[in-house]
Amino acid sequence: MGWRGRIELSTESQLLSNLSYSYLDPVLHNQSPSQKTSSVFDTFLPPVGNGSGSPNSTALPPADYLQPGIPHHLFNANVNYQFDFGLGLSFGAEVTSPINVTYGGSVKIPTQFTLNAGIFYRWRNCEVRLDFLNFTNEKNWATVSASNGSDLIYPEMPFQVQGTLRVRF
């Protein structure tokens, strides 16, 4: 369950901007899901963990659980501006609220954001573009799987520069 809103502003062909917000409430009602471990601390020895080991799967008791891997709040903003002579600039931002990695919420990815910028040139049916992705080099994370309650996460891409040449036929 959830909802999404989007506002878009465009002035002729030079400025295009949009804001979007999504509220997601992915509750699994009266379910008995299984996840890789009952607690992330199972895999570590005391004093950090409990040392019980990491089984292949743990069944949880029937209850209402939040679906792991999905933030409650997602915010996006994008602005594109193109000058009359073809040169353009773009800026984008994405913010996510904390993300449960496990059904019980024992592992969470904190609130995080990504900022992207770009410069481009359009001429007739061609576009040359240079994008600066995650230009603040945020250390963001994502879940390995949103469907099985795995307590594994991986780092998202650091700062990178991407060049593109596009020809339309």
Side-chain angles (χ1 to χ4, degrees):
M1 184 171 118
W3 59 271
R4 180 173 188 235
R6 180 181 170 112
I7 298 172
E8 192 166 301
L9 170 68
S10 178
T11 59
E12 305 206 6
S13 63
Q14 290 183 313
L15 176 69
L16 175 63
S17 62
N18 64 60
L19 293 170
S20 66
Y21 169 77
S22 297
Y23 172 75
L24 304 165
D25 191 23
V27 177
L28 301 171
H29 295 286
N30 197 25
Q31 297 291 310
S32 180
S34 65
Q35 63 185 30
K36 299 299 180 193
T37 60
S38 58
S39 168
V40 70
F41 298 107
D42 291 348
T43 57
F44 300 103
L45 293 174
V48 176
N50 60 30
S52 66
S54 181
N56 290 332
S57 185
T58 299
L60 301 174
D64 292 348
Y65 293 96
L66 285 176
Q67 176 69 49
I70 301 174
H72 274 297
H73 307 278
L74 175 62
F75 173 78
N76 287 289
N78 294 291
V79 176
N80 257 354
Y81 186 83
Q82 182 177 348
F83 297 96
D84 290 333
F85 57 91
L87 183 67
L89 303 169
S90 63
F91 176 80
E94 178 181 278
V95 180
T96 61
S97 65
I99 302 169
N100 278 357
V101 179
T102 61
Y103 288 104
S106 61
V107 179
K108 288 186 185 206
I109 297 172
T111 297
Q112 54 190 14
F113 70 92
T114 304
L115 301 177
N116 301 315
I119 185 168
F120 59 89
Y121 183 77
R122 290 183 183 138
W123 181 71
R124 295 188 186 177
N125 64 334
C126 297
E127 177 183 273
V128 176
R129 183 175 188 93
L130 191 61
D131 288 305
F132 304 90
L133 306 173
N134 190 12
F135 68 81
T136 56
N137 201 28
E138 296 302 313
K139 307 297 187 239
N140 292 330
W141 301 89
T143 59
V144 171
S145 173
S147 63
N148 69 0
S150 171
D151 53 14
L152 301 175
I153 58 174
Y154 66 92
E156 290 190 335
M157 295 297 290
F159 169 69
Q160 57 184 314
V161 178
Q162 177 178 308
T164 315
L165 171 61
R166 180 180 299 163
V167 179
R168 294 189 172 120
F169 296 97

